[in-house]
Amino acid sequence: MKKLNLLSVLVLAFVLVSVSASATGVRSQFKSFEIDEVDNLYMGKAVKALWTVSYSANEEPVTVVKRKTLDGVEYVVHSKHFQVSYASTGQGFGVKETRKAWSEVPKRISRAVISQEEMARQKVITPNKVDDETALGLIASYLPDLINDGYTHLLN
């Protein structure tokens, strides 16, 4: 009887914690975003286009820089505290670490903010090449999942 009562208490506690965790909505606040193209900038030969992605009007948006590579296109996502690249190649579209030459944030800081487990899951988001509009939508949708829980405030 004691085992049954203990088990009941544990199950009830788990259910309450699950409900309260989902009620906080930490990840749900990133369902809406705004993408704006930045025009009239001299970006050099390597940079093909530039966009900002905003999840909240109160915070600074992340910047997405489109760069042409030998394999296809890379979209480098820049923030003050992290950076990551999404590549659209013949193997598909997915996340990868940013090249050192394009990096502005130290790798150790970026790795603290970015979830390595989620990077492995997002290595191939789609097996097809994507256009800019699709790529930006996928980046804006999948980027919040890349950020470790302790750092989600960097996007809102």
Side-chain angles (χ1 to χ4, degrees):
M1 189 66 171
K2 281 187 176 184
K3 286 183 180 180
L4 184 61
N5 286 338
L6 180 61
L7 182 61
S8 298
V9 169
L10 288 175
V11 168
L12 181 62
F14 178 74
V15 168
L16 289 175
V17 168
S18 298
V19 168
S20 67
S22 65
T24 60
V26 172
R27 295 287 178 182
S28 66
Q29 62 190 343
F30 301 116
K31 288 184 179 175
S32 64
F33 50 83
E34 185 175 317
I35 300 170
D36 294 310
E37 186 168 6
V38 178
D39 291 329
N40 301 327
L41 282 179
Y42 173 73
M43 299 174 278
K45 285 170 64 174
V47 175
K48 299 300 179 192
L50 185 74
W51 298 271
T52 58
V53 179
S54 305
Y55 295 95
S56 168
N58 303 331
E59 295 294 326
E60 192 171 322
V62 295
T63 304
V64 179
V65 179
K66 178 183 178 181
R67 293 181 173 269
K68 184 89 169 121
T69 65
L70 293 175
D71 297 330
V73 176
E74 282 192 38
Y75 300 88
V76 184
V77 180
H78 292 276
S79 168
K80 288 182 182 178
H81 306 284
F82 69 90
Q83 58 197 29
V84 68
S85 293
Y86 285 84
S88 180
T89 66
Q91 289 80 36
F93 180 81
V95 73
K96 62 185 269 186
E97 283 196 16
T98 304
R99 295 179 186 192
K100 189 174 183 177
W102 300 341
S103 297
E104 297 171 4
V105 177
K107 189 178 267 191
R108 73 182 199 296
I109 293 173
S110 196
R111 282 193 172 172
V113 175
I114 301 291
S115 166
Q116 298 304 305
E117 294 83 19
E118 190 61 31
M119 275 195 72
R121 281 191 284 277
Q122 290 186 23
K123 192 169 179 105
V124 178
I125 296 172
T126 179
N128 305 315
K129 274 189 169 184
V130 296
D131 61 9
D132 289 344
E133 185 177 343
T134 304
L136 291 167
L138 289 170
I139 291 168
S141 297
Y142 280 87
L143 181 63
D145 293 336
L146 271 184
I147 310 301
N148 283 320
D149 286 336
Y151 296 99
T152 56
H153 64 280
L154 298 175
L155 292 179
N156 62 0

